[in-house]
Amino acid sequence: MFQFPKSLGLAQLPTPIQRLQRFSQNLEGPDIFLKRDDLTGTLLTGNKVRKLDFLLAEAQQKKCDVVITCGGNQSNHARTTAVAAAQLGMKCHLVLKNKANLPSDGNLLIDKLVGASTQYISAEEYKRVDEIMLEAADQLKSEGLSPYIIPEGGSNALGTIGYIKAAEEITLQLQRLKTRIHKIVVAVGSGGTYAGLLIGKYLFDLQAEIYGFNVCDDKNFFTNKIFELIKEIQIQQHLNVKIQKSDINIIDGYVGKGYALSSQAEIDMIKKVAAVEGIVLDPVYTGKAMLGLVDKIKTGVFKHGENILFIHTGGVFGLFPKKSLFF
Ligand SMILES: Cc1ncc(COP(=O)(O)O)c(C=O)c1O
């Protein structure tokens, strides 16, 4: 049996699974269920806290007192890291891709409220963000601090274990609910959530195919990235699950206008789910993935008679800077 490393228990778990009855009925396709990972916490909402539970446990074991991470200016991962660090009494330094002087709205407002320091770099500089984080770490060391660096999205081998654990949680919940899920659907931004679920599927015999909708880059990029991540985890955790590249199902075609850019169809989908179910998706990840799912229901990839589990990975704060697009 897989020995999970130490985790901190910051996420409120298990998150519920609920059926989207009215939304599914409207679609006349499969039954859609939601895994409410948007309920992992209020300020800690979303998938990233499951990764941070393992990453920050290691940071504490190593006696680090400042966390460094990176992301876009509305990064959910950066916000979750900043909040978790504050809850643990650690400092947090964020390296953010920013067009300069953006208002403190959404995730950025929370980053600042919980006291994270922010360093803004251009999109060009962001290409060497790992190096820039190392430079920031050197600076903090010279000030007598002990930094712990977390890569973009928390998607390294240790962070990904958060979603291996989520796959175990889902397996146990479905047994309890006596519900069969045929397909799991998740948004893919840095690949860790998908990679963890796929490993967990094999470890815990979760009888469902896992589909990822990429919200940036393309199918080829993520198939390779997820495969490399899976290999890294297998080595680090001495796992031997036989996963081939062909087991990775990435559905491309729903990046829309580009990463973090919203199309009218995506905005309309978020409004529809909110009005019909009282559930708010986010504009960068889950809104795009839900649009993709509904479109693929129309083309028969997801069929009537199947049960689909859509992972709501959070991201609600990303809505606020985009409010003018909605009404
Ligand atoms: C709300 C939300 N959903 C989905 C994702 C994608 O997860 P991953 O980066 O593990 O692919 C992210 C982060 O990138 C996110 O913030």
Side-chain angles (χ1 to χ4, degrees):
M1 213 357 108
F2 181 60
Q3 276 302 105
F4 285 101
K6 184 177 171 359
S7 83
L8 292 176
L10 294 166
Q12 298 294 316
L13 302 177
T15 59
I17 290 179
Q18 82 185 66
R19 189 165 164 220
L20 297 188
Q21 198 173 356
R22 288 177 298 277
F23 186 64
S24 303
Q25 257 166 12
N26 284 352
L27 291 172
E28 296 177 4
D31 254 335
I32 302 175
F33 293 73
L34 213 55
K35 173 70 173 161
R36 298 292 309 270
D37 274 10
D38 56 323
L39 300 181
T40 45
T42 304
L43 297 182
L44 292 174
T45 171
N47 57 343
K48 300 306 179 184
V49 63
R50 286 190 187 263
K51 302 177 182 184
L52 290 167
D53 262 336
F54 290 95
L55 291 163
L56 294 177
E58 183 179 77
Q60 289 206 325
Q61 262 164 1
K62 291 186 169 172
K63 308 244 178 296
C64 297
D65 48 18
V66 54
V67 192
I68 303 175
T69 198
C70 63
N73 62 73
Q74 279 299 328
S75 165
N76 296 305
H77 164 67
R79 177 257 310 153
T80 318
T81 306
V83 172
Q87 290 187 0
L88 295 169
M90 300 172 83
K91 291 183 189 306
C92 178
H93 181 73
L94 301 175
V95 181
L96 301 174
K97 193 171 18 169
N98 200 333
K99 293 196 189 88
N101 297 329
L102 286 177
S104 296
D105 200 348
N107 286 301
L108 200 51
L109 173 64
I110 311 280
D111 297 343
K112 292 187 177 172
L113 265 178
V114 297
S117 56
T118 45
Q119 174 183 353
Y120 301 115
I121 59 174
S122 66
E124 193 51 36
E125 288 170 313
Y126 197 83
K127 289 180 187 153
R128 47 176 286 271
V129 70
D130 290 338
E131 253 175 78
I132 292 176
M133 287 199 289
L134 283 172
E135 288 160 15
D138 284 342
Q139 174 62 32
L140 290 165
K141 276 185 208 160
S142 76
E143 294 166 19
L145 292 163
S146 174
Y148 182 84
I149 298 180
I150 299 179
E152 186 177 66
S155 284
N156 60 9
L158 183 60
T160 296
I161 292 174
Y163 269 85
I164 299 181
K165 187 104 183 105
E168 183 189 44
E169 181 180 306
I170 292 169
T171 311
L172 295 172
Q173 265 176 319
L174 294 177
Q175 280 167 9
R176 232 176 298 124
L177 295 168
K178 298 194 181 7
T179 301
R180 167 85 208 275
I181 288 291
H182 301 86
K183 291 170 180 167
I184 293 178
V185 168
V186 69
V188 175
S190 61
T193 303
Y194 186 98
L197 288 172
L198 191 61
I199 295 175
K201 163 186 157 69
Y202 289 100
L203 278 181
F204 304 112
D205 200 22
L206 177 55
Q207 299 286 323
E209 293 304 311
I210 302 180
Y211 290 82
F213 284 92
N214 57 300
V215 303
C216 53
D217 299 291
D218 60 19
K219 177 184 167 94
N220 199 26
F221 174 85
F222 277 113
T223 306
N224 290 329
K225 185 166 185 203
I226 289 167
F227 192 61
E228 289 308 313
L229 192 50
I230 289 172
K231 280 202 292 197
E232 197 185 320
I233 298 162
Q234 303 243 47
I235 293 166
Q236 277 193 19
Q237 299 297 323
H238 312 290
L239 279 177
N240 188 20
V241 278
K242 300 216 167 358
I243 297 178
Q244 317 290 332
K245 258 191 191 176
S246 55
D247 296 319
I248 300 170
N249 293 311
I250 300 295
I251 304 183
D252 205 346
Y254 298 93
V255 174
K257 289 183 172 177
Y259 177 71
L261 299 174
S262 300
S263 70
Q264 193 56 48
E266 292 160 13
I267 300 285
D268 290 346
M269 180 55 66
I270 293 170
K271 284 164 87 169
K272 182 168 182 186
V273 175
V276 174
E277 294 285 353
I279 285 175
V280 180
L281 301 174
D282 84 287
V284 182
Y285 299 93
T286 51
K288 286 184 195 271
M290 187 60 88
L291 185 66
L293 170 60
V294 169
D295 202 45
K296 290 299 180 199
I297 288 173
K298 289 182 194 145
T299 59
V301 174
F302 301 94
K303 299 181 191 64
H304 183 73
E306 289 177 337
N307 288 338
I308 310 292
L309 183 65
F310 183 97
I311 316 282
H312 189 337
T313 40
V316 68
F317 296 113
L319 277 174
F320 296 96
K322 287 181 177 278
K323 49 189 164 290
S324 62
L325 299 178
F326 282 83
F327 296 102

